[in-house]
Amino acid sequence: MNKPVINIKNLNVDYITDKNPINAVRDVTFEIFSGEIFGLVGESGSGKSTVVQAMMRILPPPAIISKGEVIINNEDILASSSLDVVGMRWKKISIVMQSALNALNPVLSIREQIHDVLKTHKNLIGLDADERAKELLSLVEIDHDRLDSFPHQLSGGMKQRIVIAIALAIMPPIIIMDEPTTALDVIVEREIIAKIIDLRKKLGFTILFITHDLNLLLEFADRLAIMKNGEIVELDKVENINAGGKHPYTKKLIGSIPSASGKRQKGLLSKPKSLNLSKNPILEVQNLKKVFQSPGFFNKNKLIAVNDVSFKIHKGEIVGLVGESGSGKSTVAKLITRLIRPSEGSIYLNGENKKVTESRNVPLQYRKDVQMVFQDPFGSLNSIHTVYHHLSRPLYRHRLKDEVTMLPYIIDLLEKVGLSPGEKFAEKFPHEMSGGERQRVAIARALSLEPKIVVADEPTSMLDVSIRMEVLEIFAKMRIENNLTVLFITHDLASARYLADRIIVLKNGKIIEENNSENLIQNPKEDYTKQLVNAASPGWLNQITK
């Protein structure tokens, strides 16, 4: 191979604390060659993003680089001046950050943000900048009329695509992609990656692709490095990793990857011996509709997010609600949990509708019976409170436990969701836990009130594949042990196949298909469902690029 364009040697990053420093990255070493797609894979908290921040010299305090070398295009980044490093960014290396919400300026339009990059680094202004901006939006499948939109007017998936477009604006020789597709549905994710790979072939730029989704990188990366606890545990060609790898952690990751096609794998998730559903549903949604009015007194634009959605869920059943970003999945979740009011329709819990849909003040009993697990394990927990505080608040609010019984109940609950010893985790703060551990706390909080139904809104989208299946196993076991009812909302059809008994497919706010999970996978009727199945199956890249 030619000379590496990126050369990382024995990189160490420490976080300074009042006590001993926390060694977040330990002796990380790898090379990336020109035109290569190099994948860096690891669970939340493994140190992936810290490595990137160290490379780009954007480490937030109190993090410091304690040892190592970072050579990019023959330049010693750690020895370069701040001015030289700033000049290198965008022109020689650009980065697609994980959080599009923080990467975009909320007070500037998309046009202004793209123009800013083009003017600063390529001296493009006026019509030339407009034409380039339109090309970039076309690249990521966004209409040109969105140029004058502001970030808050776009879905999470659209914002992430805008960030990708801006990173590609100058076409630098090296692009770092730090979890660039986390917020995207599986079809758009695959299409964007196919376009990026096509551009890479034409223009020859090099990609460092960072993700927790090993399944994704197995399709298109040249080499992979597997990270765990701040160290690279395995580095090899993608075909060798795909064959099973050598390290036990790699083998665990490979064994945890579900597929939305082919023969059903056995033993991935627990299943009840038989599923005897009651005649009457525990939850029934009838003709649910949600219309969002655009802000402004004279603005008459309306967005119909959910349109005439009806379905039933029986006690002890797990139902998957699947669809692309912007299809209305999360809006349905917020309507059912009554975080927002529906514009039309009814919600019946155990056959009763006590003005739940119309009332501004939802009955406290309904709040107890219908609990939600949110997508973001980092944002759903308050950083200044302990795990004990998070779990005790709802119990105090609903007067279910007193001071004597509270702690033993919380410890038992934490151990049920795999956080052992429970007394140690009860004392922890969110920043002291990994993403997977935080999500387990969020699940424990939802289960603490012994609800009749749990609405899980993309609960594993930010977790690596091994933790993903472990978290889903919590729902699977609780269903068997406690007859828990779950509405599982996801864009990951493969996960829905193994967890859910039945799958509902949502597109543009409407239900387009519904069936038993395995029947829907094996015999999808709608073209969109077929696209979802193909996109979540091995070999999807070859199908797109044919």
Side-chain angles (χ1 to χ4, degrees):
M1 270 191 178
N2 51 6
K3 196 171 182 180
V5 294
I6 295 178
N7 193 352
I8 311 295
K9 294 181 181 178
N10 301 317
L11 182 65
N12 283 257
V13 177
D14 294 340
Y15 282 84
I16 306 303
T17 67
D18 293 336
K19 300 177 183 178
N20 294 325
I22 298 172
N23 198 200
V25 172
R26 295 190 294 276
D27 295 320
V28 165
T29 298
F30 60 85
E31 297 176 327
I32 304 177
F33 297 91
S34 180
E36 186 179 29
I37 300 178
F38 186 90
L40 192 60
V41 182
E43 63 190 68
S44 174
S46 63
K48 309 183 302 296
S49 295
T50 303
V51 169
V52 172
Q53 290 169 345
M55 288 172 56
M56 299 290 285
R57 291 262 300 267
I58 54 174
L59 274 171
I64 61 166
I65 299 171
S66 56
K67 191 175 74 171
E69 294 181 14
V70 177
I71 311 296
I72 299 178
N73 281 329
N74 299 320
E75 294 183 34
D76 188 340
I77 299 303
L78 303 187
S80 300
S81 68
S82 297
L83 192 62
D84 288 339
V85 173
V86 171
M88 177 198 70
R89 295 173 192 151
W90 293 102
K91 289 183 180 179
K92 295 183 179 179
I93 184 168
S94 67
I95 183 169
V96 178
M97 301 298 289
Q98 178 177 0
S99 176
L101 189 64
N102 297 326
L104 294 173
N105 191 324
V107 300
L108 295 179
S109 69
I110 302 306
R111 185 191 303 273
E112 290 172 307
Q113 299 193 52
I114 296 176
H115 277 215
D116 182 50
V117 174
L118 294 173
K119 180 181 178 181
T120 304
H121 299 284
K122 213 171 181 180
N123 203 27
L124 278 182
I125 58 173
L127 292 177
D128 291 335
D130 260 357
E131 286 302 312
R132 180 61 180 149
K134 290 177 182 178
E135 289 174 12
L136 291 168
L137 290 197
S138 296
L139 173 69
V140 293
E141 302 283 338
I142 293 179
D143 291 335
H144 301 163
D145 59 10
R146 287 292 190 174
L147 274 171
D148 292 315
S149 297
F150 288 84
H152 71 272
Q153 296 173 311
L154 306 175
S155 69
M158 292 178 76
K159 282 185 276 195
Q160 197 70 298
R161 282 182 271 171
I162 293 292
V163 173
I164 293 171
I166 292 174
L168 296 173
I170 313 300
M171 287 301 169
I174 303 171
I175 296 178
I176 298 174
M177 298 192 166
D178 186 9
E179 302 273 14
T181 56
T182 298
L184 304 181
D185 71 272
V186 68
I187 293 177
V188 175
E189 174 185 63
R190 274 35 174 178
E191 289 174 351
I192 287 177
I193 287 172
K195 286 180 179 291
I196 290 170
I197 291 170
D198 184 53
L199 279 172
R200 197 262 310 195
K201 289 178 181 177
K202 291 177 182 176
L203 303 174
F205 55 80
T206 306
I207 298 175
L208 169 57
F209 200 105
I210 296 161
T211 182
H212 60 254
D213 191 348
L214 177 59
N215 195 19
L216 187 68
L217 281 177
L218 289 176
E219 292 287 336
F220 62 87
D222 298 307
R223 288 188 301 138
L224 290 176
I226 310 291
M227 281 194 77
K228 183 171 176 59
N229 299 330
E231 297 179 300
I232 292 180
V233 297
E234 186 160 1
L235 196 163
D236 209 338
K237 292 181 179 178
V238 71
E239 50 265 32
N240 295 334
I241 299 287
N242 201 13
K246 298 175 182 177
H247 194 274
Y249 180 64
T250 307
K251 294 181 182 294
K252 180 183 178 183
L253 288 179
I254 293 293
S256 301
I257 298 174
S259 173
S261 64
K263 190 176 179 181
R264 185 184 179 90
Q265 293 174 253
K266 293 183 179 179
L268 272 185
L269 291 175
S270 300
K271 283 282 186 182
K273 293 179 180 179
S274 61
L275 192 63
N276 299 314
L277 301 179
S278 59
K279 182 180 179 182
N280 297 319
I282 186 171
L283 178 77
E284 183 174 1
V285 171
Q286 291 184 355
N287 310 116
L288 211 57
K289 185 174 184 178
K290 181 60 181 177
V291 180
F292 290 101
Q293 175 69 51
S294 297
F297 185 77
F298 296 104
N299 194 337
K300 295 183 179 180
N301 293 332
K302 293 181 179 180
L303 172 65
I304 302 176
V306 173
N307 192 4
D308 198 27
V309 166
S310 299
F311 59 86
K312 298 176 182 179
I313 304 177
H314 293 80
K315 187 168 181 59
E317 188 180 23
I318 299 180
V319 175
L321 186 62
V322 178
E324 62 190 350
S325 174
S327 63
K329 306 186 305 297
S330 292
T331 303
V332 169
K334 291 174 183 176
L335 290 169
I336 291 173
T337 52
R338 269 311 315 272
L339 295 177
I340 57 176
R341 294 174 65 194
S343 304
E344 294 177 20
S346 300
I347 300 169
Y348 293 91
L349 187 66
N350 279 332
E352 297 179 355
N353 183 344
K354 297 179 180 178
K355 299 294 182 183
V356 169
T357 46
E358 293 87 357
S359 175
R360 287 184 178 274
N361 300 315
V362 179
L364 190 61
Q365 185 63 38
Y366 187 87
R367 296 288 190 203
K368 175 185 177 296
D369 290 341
V370 183
Q371 285 289 301
M372 187 165 180
V373 177
F374 294 92
Q375 177 179 4
D376 183 4
F378 302 93
S380 63
L381 299 178
N382 191 323
S383 60
I384 67 171
H385 291 305
T386 63
V387 170
Y388 177 85
H389 178 93
H390 283 94
L391 269 62
S392 65
R393 289 307 94 188
L395 292 168
Y396 278 130
R397 177 71 178 87
H398 292 272
R399 300 178 181 178
L400 297 179
K401 300 293 174 183
D402 55 26
E403 291 289 348
V404 176
T405 58
M406 183 72 72
L407 182 58
Y409 181 77
I410 287 175
I411 290 172
D412 180 61
L413 197 59
L414 289 171
E415 293 184 349
K416 279 183 179 178
V417 297
L419 296 176
S420 186
E423 57 266 28
K424 288 280 183 69
F425 277 95
E427 298 171 354
K428 287 190 176 186
F429 289 88
H431 70 270
E432 297 175 312
M433 298 180 291
S434 69
E437 289 170 341
R438 295 187 207 199
Q439 196 62 296
R440 289 171 191 264
V441 171
I443 293 171
R445 180 174 58 184
L447 296 176
S448 67
L449 299 180
E450 299 180 352
K452 292 178 179 176
I453 182 168
V454 169
V455 179
D457 186 14
E458 300 272 15
T460 60
S461 67
M462 295 187 174
L463 307 178
D464 76 276
V465 287
S466 63
I467 296 176
R468 186 181 307 172
M469 299 310 286
E470 290 172 4
V471 168
L472 295 183
E473 177 66 12
I474 295 171
F475 291 112
K477 278 189 174 180
M478 293 303 287
R479 185 262 285 272
I480 295 171
E481 295 171 4
N482 299 341
N483 206 23
L484 182 69
T485 307
V486 181
L487 176 60
F488 175 54
I489 295 171
T490 182
H491 61 249
D492 182 6
L493 192 58
S495 293
R497 175 190 188 186
Y498 284 91
L499 179 65
D501 308 303
R502 184 162 45 96
I503 294 176
I504 299 170
V505 180
L506 200 66
K507 183 173 172 56
N508 296 330
K510 292 185 176 183
I511 293 175
I512 63 167
E513 189 165 355
E514 179 179 350
N515 206 338
N516 169 280
S517 298
E518 202 59 24
N519 289 343
L520 185 133
I521 292 294
Q522 300 297 348
N523 301 295
K525 294 181 173 59
E526 298 292 328
D527 289 339
Y528 176 68
T529 311
K530 292 175 184 177
Q531 286 180 315
L532 281 176
V533 172
N534 290 335
S537 304
W540 57 263
L541 184 59
N542 292 331
Q543 295 180 32
I544 292 177
T545 55
K546 278 181 181 179

